[in-house]
Amino acid sequence: MQETIVQLTYLAASVLFILGLRSLTKPDDARRGMQLAALGMLLAIIGTMLHQEILTYTWIVTGLIIGTVVGYPLGKFVPMTAMPQRIAFSHMFGALAATLVGVGEFYHMYQGEHPTNPSVADTRFKMAAIGFEVMFGALTVSGSFMAFGKLQEFITGRPITFKGQNLLNGLLFVAASGCFGWLMYEPSNVVAFYSMVTIAFVIGFMLVLPIGGADMPVVVSLLNAYAGLAASATGFAIGNNVLIIAGALDGASGFILSMIMSKAMNRSFANVLFGAFGSGGGVASKKTADGMVAKSIKAEDAAVLLGYAGKVIVVPGYGMAVAQAQHQVRELAELIEKKGGEVKYAIHPVAGRMPGHMNVLLAEANVPYDRMYDMEEINDQFAECDVAIVIGANDVVNPAAKTDPGSPIYGMPILRVSEAKSVIVLKRSMNTGFAGIENELFFDEKTSMLFGDAKASLSKLVSEVKQL
């Protein structure tokens, strides 16, 4: 009877996970989707605690308390600008949990005080699950730490490459696969098991090392997929159905999202993982800022353009996130609309440092969901736009992606801001983006640069528009 209750609880949790994931496909249903998923996780925890193999709740309660003490501040007080690195950090702990479960299972079978020492025939399937679990888990731990470091900028966000890097990575993968095969032949081999775990940790570091910050949205999504696969393998290793289902959902959705974002950048998985975005390759671009002049504009003049514009398109980027200027963006848009203008928001799939970064920030500022448009939906509207205002975006609006075959971003789909009748760009300086190249848009004759902190500049614009 108790086992039936546990399995029914797991089934209900799995259904809630699926419904929650389904709700995340629409911005206005996303909050409800997260609530459904959270309820599913609660049921999964309750089902696990009812399991007859659990004899004491001491360690579970201890972990629950520690997790709450650490997790609540991370969720409540970490600013939205730091959300990408917080997510990478969360992936690291999720993968670490899966890895430790795999190590614990192996230790229990062959190294504990009372090892079970099952027969080879009985353990090959389980060892396959444990092997996948610890390999994907270990490389996700170290890979997520590298992603966290690059996003937090205590590790350089630029690609780090060296001669023979891909060959070394290939040899490490072959070595890990060899240890895995060795375990299939001799499941009790301690050297093979811990060598595989160690090599997998090194692979995680090496995989993210050559990836630049511009590719971080894809990397974060891919690491999420790896963590899901590790969790699913954990379910097979310990016979837990809800882990199998939840991990498979996480892994599949992460891979699909990674492919969507790679397509948005017109790049393959292999190019993202091994291409060292922004570090060169192909025909080197010769275009520089020499001889080109950017035209600056005062907030007063920019306010006049915006206040009397019939159609305005806002293009948010990472600079908006850094300045935490999303609330000022919404306030400016409301003023323009009160004066009879129409305001829309153009969202590039890889703007920011995580999937959906701009959508999350704008939703936090209560920007209506129906004003946010994907790149494909809004690109044709730039030609009819009176003013396009770019806030901290760089590579995703760079015309070089269309005009310069030597550019590292050539072929990447961009927001066609250059087609607008007038363009205002808010930036601190003329520094390049993560691709490390000059942006032709900034030197266009119809582009005006409003220099300064985005939040301060937008506050000034709001003040000036009110006076019109």
Side-chain angles (χ1 to χ4, degrees):
M1 182 64 181
Q2 185 177 0
E3 181 62 22
T4 301
I5 294 174
V6 170
Q7 294 305 320
L8 287 174
T9 304
Y10 282 168
L11 178 61
S14 300
V15 170
L16 287 169
F17 288 151
I18 294 170
L19 292 175
L21 188 61
R22 177 68 180 84
S23 297
L24 293 178
T25 59
K26 296 181 180 179
D28 48 348
D29 292 334
R31 187 183 296 274
R32 183 167 61 90
M34 290 301 297
Q35 292 170 344
L36 290 173
L39 178 58
M41 183 58 69
L42 177 62
L43 289 179
I45 293 171
I46 292 173
T48 301
M49 295 182 73
L50 291 175
H51 205 283
Q52 59 187 1
E53 292 184 8
I54 296 179
L55 303 178
T56 176
Y57 294 111
T58 302
W59 287 107
I60 293 176
V61 173
T62 301
L64 182 63
I65 293 172
I66 295 174
T68 302
V69 169
V70 174
Y72 181 80
L74 283 176
K76 187 71 176 177
F77 302 117
V78 170
M80 291 305 299
T81 50
M83 197 55 63
Q85 48 265 53
R86 193 206 71 80
I87 290 175
F89 204 59
S90 296
H91 288 167
M92 182 175 70
F93 278 105
L96 180 61
T99 305
L100 292 177
V101 169
V103 172
E105 282 292 303
F106 181 84
Y107 183 85
H108 175 69
M109 286 193 294
Y110 299 112
Q111 291 185 274
E113 293 183 7
H114 305 288
T116 56
N117 287 312
S119 66
V120 172
D122 292 337
T123 59
R124 276 185 173 150
F125 174 79
K126 186 170 184 176
M127 188 53 65
I130 292 175
F132 277 113
E133 175 187 351
V134 297
M135 275 203 296
F136 277 110
L139 71 87
T140 304
V141 171
S142 51
S144 296
F145 177 79
M146 284 293 294
F148 168 73
K150 283 174 175 279
L151 290 166
Q152 191 64 25
E153 298 183 351
F154 64 81
I155 299 175
T156 179
R158 299 290 184 185
I160 301 174
T161 59
F162 54 85
K163 188 176 181 180
Q165 188 172 44
N166 289 338
L167 175 61
L168 176 60
N169 288 344
L171 292 174
L172 288 171
F173 180 77
V174 169
S177 300
C179 290
F180 181 79
W182 192 359
L183 279 173
M184 293 297 95
Y185 177 75
E186 187 182 351
S188 62
N189 194 303
V190 175
V191 173
F193 180 80
Y194 289 108
S195 296
M196 181 179 66
V197 175
T198 303
I199 295 170
F201 268 113
V202 176
I203 289 174
F205 284 114
M206 296 299 296
L207 282 179
V208 183
L209 195 66
I211 299 175
D215 286 326
M216 276 303 128
V218 182
V219 173
V220 169
S221 180
L222 196 57
L223 290 170
N224 178 67
Y226 290 161
L229 291 176
S232 188
T234 302
F236 281 107
I238 65 177
N240 189 298
N241 292 330
V242 75
L243 265 179
I244 295 173
I245 296 171
L249 288 171
D250 197 20
S253 60
F255 273 118
I256 291 171
L257 183 58
S258 298
M259 288 188 287
I260 290 172
M261 288 190 294
S262 293
K263 183 180 178 181
M265 296 189 298
N266 195 32
R267 301 174 67 209
S268 65
F269 259 146
N271 189 249
V272 170
L273 294 176
F274 308 115
F277 187 63
S279 66
V283 180
S285 176
K286 301 297 183 183
K287 292 191 176 182
T288 67
D290 294 343
M292 295 190 291
V293 179
K295 179 178 62 177
S296 64
I297 191 173
K298 294 182 179 180
E300 294 86 351
D301 298 325
V304 172
L305 281 175
L306 292 167
Y308 294 104
K311 186 172 184 178
V312 175
I313 297 179
V314 178
V315 180
Y318 187 61
M320 185 188 77
V322 171
Q324 301 185 50
Q326 58 269 28
H327 295 281
Q328 285 70 30
V329 171
R330 186 212 68 227
E331 188 177 0
L332 177 62
E334 289 175 347
L335 287 173
I336 294 172
E337 289 169 344
K338 285 180 180 179
K339 292 183 175 294
E342 179 186 20
V343 180
K344 295 181 178 180
Y345 298 82
I347 311 297
H348 194 281
V350 294
R353 297 295 178 267
M354 72 176 184
H357 198 177
M358 297 301 106
N359 303 72
V360 172
L361 290 172
L362 294 173
E364 183 198 25
N366 296 318
V367 172
Y369 294 121
D370 60 2
R371 305 290 176 82
M372 302 181 205
Y373 292 82
D374 293 334
M375 178 175 60
E376 294 82 2
E377 297 176 304
I378 202 164
N379 256 346
D380 291 337
Q381 300 183 39
F382 277 106
E384 304 169 359
C385 170
D386 294 309
V387 183
I389 178 168
V390 180
I391 308 171
N394 200 323
D395 299 324
V396 298
V397 298
N398 193 340
K402 299 293 184 184
T403 62
D404 184 5
S407 171
I409 64 170
Y410 183 71
M412 183 180 93
I414 59 168
L415 292 165
R416 300 202 295 263
V417 174
S418 59
E419 296 179 4
K421 297 173 185 176
S422 183
V423 181
I424 299 174
V425 178
L426 275 65
K427 274 179 67 71
R428 286 181 178 272
S429 67
M430 292 298 293
N431 287 342
T432 59
F434 264 112
I437 57 175
E438 295 294 344
N439 192 333
E440 298 175 11
L441 176 69
F442 301 163
F443 303 96
D444 193 296
E445 61 181 11
K446 60 185 174 184
T447 298
S448 301
M449 307 293 296
L450 181 56
F451 292 110
D453 175 77
K455 189 173 185 178
S457 295
L458 286 164
S459 296
K460 180 67 173 174
L461 284 174
V462 167
S463 177
E464 293 295 333
V465 171
K466 285 180 178 179
Q467 298 177 30
L468 294 177

